[in-house]
Amino acid sequence: MKEIILVKNGELVLKGLNRSSFEDVLIKNMRRHLEDLGEFKFTKSQSTIMVEAPEGADLDEVAERLGKVFGIAAYSRAAVCEKDMQSIVKTAREYLADELSLVSTFKVEAKRSDKKFPLKSPEICRELGGALLKKFNHLKVDVHNPDVTVTVEIRDTHAFVRGNNIKGAGGMPTGTSGRAAVLISGGIDSPVAAYMMAKRGIELVAVHFASPPYTSELALIKVMDLLKKVSAYCGTITTYVVPFTEIQEAIRDYCPEEYFTLVMRRIMMKISNIIAENQNCRALITGESLGQVASQTIYALQCTDSVAKFPVFRPCIGMDKDEIISVSRKIDTFETSIQPYEDCCTVFTPKHPRTRPKPQDVEAAESKIANLDEMIDAAVKGAKRRFIKAAGV
Ligand code: ATP
Ligand code: MG
């Protein structure tokens, strides 16, 4: 039996005249996610995109990959059959046998885009509903809240028969909202922040600060593993690993201890500004959440924001830790995030950080590092670029 996948593109419908170009980006992204599984055919038709797989493709794998493509509100596998009631009934009985045998209620919906089809939608529903009741006699019809909605679509050349829709990853197609640089640590929050902004259509560039030998090779591998998990949703992430040891040692040697973390954050921002600019990014992203630690109070965030040259997106800002954790479990970063490797933020941490720092005091602390601009320059030049991607993106 020939099967295709029908993709519903949700929010794109709101885009009016731009819809077609949004759909084109979505198709490009789907093609990229499926690239190594063969040559797929995509056909736009109203708010649906039909995806035809090449002969022999594993549709379970295809469906799983499409489930991670942003911009897809819902999708479903459908059987393709001839446009006559006899084949529609036969196909539905066979194709949906497993799905229908596990539930107790159903209803039939018909969409007739070929108006020449001899039966009207209510007649199709009646005829197919009756035939399914006869074959699966444990079933009852429930038009309000059915366990399974059997949908028949009568199109130009064929009819499609399908069961329930599967919820898609939602959001907007990656790349339709521009680029932004995410400051990524090995923690729980920043991969979630990266995912949340990618979901809004942002193409990610990642910046990670590493301070060997205070931070280890394993800590770095952990960050790359986290990015790989996020890239399963948003495609290749261009990643910069910035050598941060000298700067951190200078902070330790010259700045008052209570300002260590804030000065470090500001320098991270300054370096990220330059990388973001070089990479054509229009925003920075961090995993900060209000009040979570001393460097994330409203006063501390003002000190960091004042050196940012771009809007700073902090999608976790209003989330509790357990809410952030539930997203990290959903995107499968949690288990990696909790591996106990050090981050540059956890070396040289002050015992008593300021929770209400004054901008001028932080600036004064930072100015104790005499050759900071040269060090920032050297760190940017020394950054190593990698392209991080999961299988199939
Ligand atoms: P996370 O779980 O994201 O590490 P956290 O609660 O541990 O968050 P901090 O360590 O204070 O918070 O870091 C706050 C934010 O600063 C992170 O969410 C991330 O955006 C950025 N950040 C921290 N460490 C690094 C790093 N080594 N490289 C790049 N960005 C970092
Ligand atoms: Mg951290």
Side-chain angles (χ1 to χ4, degrees), residues 300-363:
L301 293 176
Q302 188 195 3
C303 295
T304 354
D305 261 12
S306 63
V307 293
K309 287 201 181 144
F310 297 95
V312 183
F313 294 158
R314 297 183 171 94
C316 302
I317 197 75
M319 294 166 79
D320 293 344
K321 196 77 190 186
D322 57 348
E323 291 170 323
I324 300 173
I325 287 175
S326 89
V327 180
S328 79
R329 286 192 193 280
K330 186 178 102 180
I331 63 171
D332 192 32
T333 51
F334 182 72
E335 294 300 329
T336 309
S337 289
I338 58 172
Q339 289 171 9
Y341 300 117
E342 60 299 302
D343 179 55
C344 68
C345 290
T346 53
V347 296
F348 314 139
T349 44
K351 284 194 199 67
H352 303 291
R354 284 291 167 107
T355 52
R356 289 190 175 214
K358 294 204 178 65
Q360 63 270 30
D361 294 342
V362 184
E363 277 162 33

